[in-house]
Amino acid sequence: MPDEAEMTGVEGGTPAKSLEKIGDRKLKPSTMMMGHGFDPALSEGALKPPIFLTSTFVFPNAAAGKRHFEGVTGKRPGGADGLVYSRFNGPNQEILEDRLAVWDEAEDALAFSSGMSAIATLFLAMTKPGDTIVHSGPLYAATETLIGRILGKFGVKWLDFPAGATREEIDAVLTEASAGHVALIYLESPANPTNALVDVEAVRASRDAIFADMDVKPPIAIDNTFLGPLWSQPLKHGADIVVYSLTKYAGGHSDLVAGGVLGTKEHINTIRSMRNTIGTICDPNTAWMLLRSLETLELRMSRAGENAIKVCKFLREHPKVDSMGYLGFITDARQQDIYDRHCTGAGSTFSLLVKGGEAEAFRFLDALRIAKLAVSLGGTETLASHPAAMTHLSVPQERKTALGITDNLVRISIGVEDADDLIADFDQALAAI
């Protein structure tokens, strides 16, 4: 990262070191979100970072310009030493990336224009024709499409294992894949929309055993959107790279689209080089809005999680509900074991299987009055959708069936409204079935 004197264009400025400790006490992420990575003295004393609406940045001298482009073009690792051009970096984006890394205790982070641009940039940076991606299933439908249909056109192959796979099942798939070149192991946990958990520790152990003779083992990347960063931190359990749709909990207000990738500096440098080439960085206004949202991330996620517990307790006992995919009510012993080792909370997004089929699910959705019928999750408002007919419509029927994406499955994301009001809404909507 550049120093902030260079970042904000203030001549002769010396940036204040970001406060990370008071004595021996390490500050919590919720505290650091209020100022980490930004010095008001370098921006006219502004309490909050200004929005830097500029496409390009002035170099102090030609030698600095050369040095920055050496980083941008990859001739020197680590990216530019300073600001170059808004396709590569910018003050708002770099402050955002500093703060994103805090939550997961990652070495570095990158911000993108959407969750899918983050995933696509990751895949393009890590794979080449003939490589294999091993992934858990199900994945977000657009991710499955990207792997199976788009990368497949360029000779990238894939193998998958179910989200709840045992170590033996993971071993079998990775062993089969190791006959070729495995470029990436890609996970999504909880799986979308079934909420099945992936045993990241088992995947790491399997990867390390099967590829023990390789100097460079295939990195493990994981989409942590459903639980991160508050309820799950996969870097602590063996993942090398964490992916987010920042549109969801990080943004949290359903008013922006963005993505993030976090991990080791080595992996982030590789992904940054691809981002610099194809220009998938987020814009400064979106970065600024995310900085605003990160200040209340813990508050919003905590309230939504508390609401979800109350709502799900009601729904579990309702006669019109067949079953639920909520991490607070796990009935499978292996899934419970994964949850106990990997998670600190059950989240606020879950699947609800109503009694009946598509017609009954549609009646329920159409009758909702507080909850909004819309895709996405992690916002301040409660949302409900029908994955089989909406987000996963493009997934072949046989795969939807195999993955448990049924016609009576509704995905619900609980917001920060009053929990009892939400219960009343779900109660009257279920009466429509």
Side-chain angles (χ1 to χ4, degrees):
M1 296 293 181
D3 67 38
E4 282 191 314
E6 196 166 29
M7 189 171 72
T8 58
V10 177
E11 290 187 284
T14 301
K17 181 175 174 60
S18 290
L19 184 64
E20 298 182 17
K21 286 185 175 182
I22 292 182
D24 293 331
R25 178 180 176 81
K26 183 179 179 181
L27 300 183
K28 297 295 180 64
S30 55
T31 301
M32 294 178 67
M33 290 306 101
M34 305 306 166
H36 184 68
F38 174 66
D39 184 355
L42 301 180
S43 289
E44 303 291 342
L47 176 66
K48 302 295 184 184
I51 303 175
F52 290 84
L53 295 177
T54 182
S55 60
T56 193
F57 300 89
V58 177
F59 303 131
N61 52 60
K66 177 182 178 181
R67 188 173 68 252
H68 298 340
F69 267 91
E70 286 174 342
V72 165
T73 58
K75 288 191 174 183
R76 179 176 40 74
D81 283 343
L83 298 169
V84 178
Y85 183 68
S86 289
R87 193 177 92 231
F88 307 136
N89 56 8
N92 299 109
Q93 293 93 326
E94 292 195 338
I95 299 169
L96 170 63
E97 290 163 354
D98 282 347
R99 293 187 189 178
L100 287 175
V102 167
W103 289 96
D104 286 270
E105 298 182 21
E107 290 182 4
D108 209 347
L110 295 171
F112 294 83
S113 57
S114 70
M116 282 311 304
S117 73
I119 294 169
T121 306
L122 166 67
F123 288 167
L124 290 173
M126 296 294 178
T127 63
K128 63 182 184 303
D131 285 350
T132 297
I133 294 175
V134 176
H135 69 83
S136 63
L139 301 175
Y140 177 54
T143 309
E144 292 220 2
T145 298
L146 178 60
I147 294 172
R149 299 186 188 179
I150 308 302
L151 293 180
K153 292 181 181 179
F154 302 97
V156 176
K157 296 168 285 188
W158 61 272
L159 288 171
D160 71 332
F161 55 84
T166 63
R167 168 68 189 274
E168 291 72 23
E169 291 170 322
I170 297 166
D171 281 350
V173 174
L174 285 180
T175 299
E176 180 182 353
S178 67
H181 181 259
V182 178
L184 182 68
I185 300 169
Y186 187 81
L187 314 175
E188 184 178 299
S189 185
N192 185 354
T194 61
N195 254 18
L197 293 168
V198 178
D199 191 339
V200 181
E201 291 176 342
V203 173
R204 175 67 177 241
S206 180
R207 189 276 308 267
D208 289 351
I210 291 169
F211 299 93
D213 295 334
M214 293 180 59
D215 292 333
V216 180
K217 298 176 177 63
I220 299 169
I222 181 169
D223 185 333
N224 194 38
T225 298
F226 270 43
L227 290 181
L230 199 63
W231 299 307
S232 178
Q233 296 183 326
L235 294 179
K236 297 178 180 178
H237 302 290
D240 303 297
I241 300 166
V242 174
V243 177
Y244 286 106
S245 170
L246 299 177
T247 309
K248 312 303 193 292
Y249 291 106
H253 294 77
S254 301
D255 56 5
L256 61 86
V257 174
V261 176
L262 303 79
T264 64
K265 286 189 178 294
E266 180 182 4
H267 290 311
I268 293 300
N269 285 340
T270 300
I271 301 163
R272 178 187 286 110
S273 180
M274 179 61 69
R275 188 187 70 172
N276 287 348
T277 300
I278 63 177
T280 47
I281 192 171
C282 77
D283 66 273
N285 186 72
T286 298
W288 183 90
M289 293 175 72
L290 280 161
L291 290 172
R292 166 216 63 183
S293 295
L294 289 179
E295 294 183 1
T296 60
L297 176 61
E298 185 176 58
L299 294 173
R300 290 182 287 101
M301 292 186 75
S302 297
R303 171 62 180 253
E306 292 165 2
N307 279 353
I309 293 170
K310 296 177 183 177
V311 169
C312 289
K313 284 181 179 177
F314 165 77
L315 292 172
R316 179 173 59 173
E317 305 300 327
H318 200 284
K320 300 287 182 70
V321 172
D322 189 40
S323 61
M324 297 179 65
Y326 172 59
L327 295 178
F329 302 149
I330 297 174
T331 56
D332 178 82
R334 170 150 177 78
Q335 285 285 293
Q336 187 64 53
D337 175 58
I338 299 171
Y339 178 85
D340 291 341
R341 287 184 286 113
H342 286 44
C343 307
T344 59
S348 65
T349 300
F350 57 91
S351 59
L352 176 72
L353 281 77
V354 300
K355 289 186 176 178
E358 181 183 275
E360 287 73 20
F362 279 16
R363 287 193 198 105
F364 167 70
L365 289 168
D366 290 344
L368 291 169
R369 301 179 66 186
I370 296 174
K372 305 297 190 297
L373 178 54
V375 296
S376 199
L377 59 102
T380 51
E381 64 286 298
T382 296
L383 300 178
S385 63
H386 190 271
M390 298 174 187
T391 54
H392 290 69
L393 181 63
S394 61
V395 177
Q397 183 57 49
E398 62 273 15
R399 183 156 177 80
K400 282 194 284 191
T401 301
L403 295 174
I405 304 172
T406 58
D407 287 338
N408 66 332
L409 187 152
V410 173
R411 191 182 76 180
I412 296 172
S413 172
I414 298 294
V416 300
E417 305 95 338
D418 180 83
D420 290 332
D421 290 344
L422 291 173
I423 289 170
D425 189 28
F426 287 125
D427 191 24
Q428 64 84 27
L430 286 166
I433 298 176

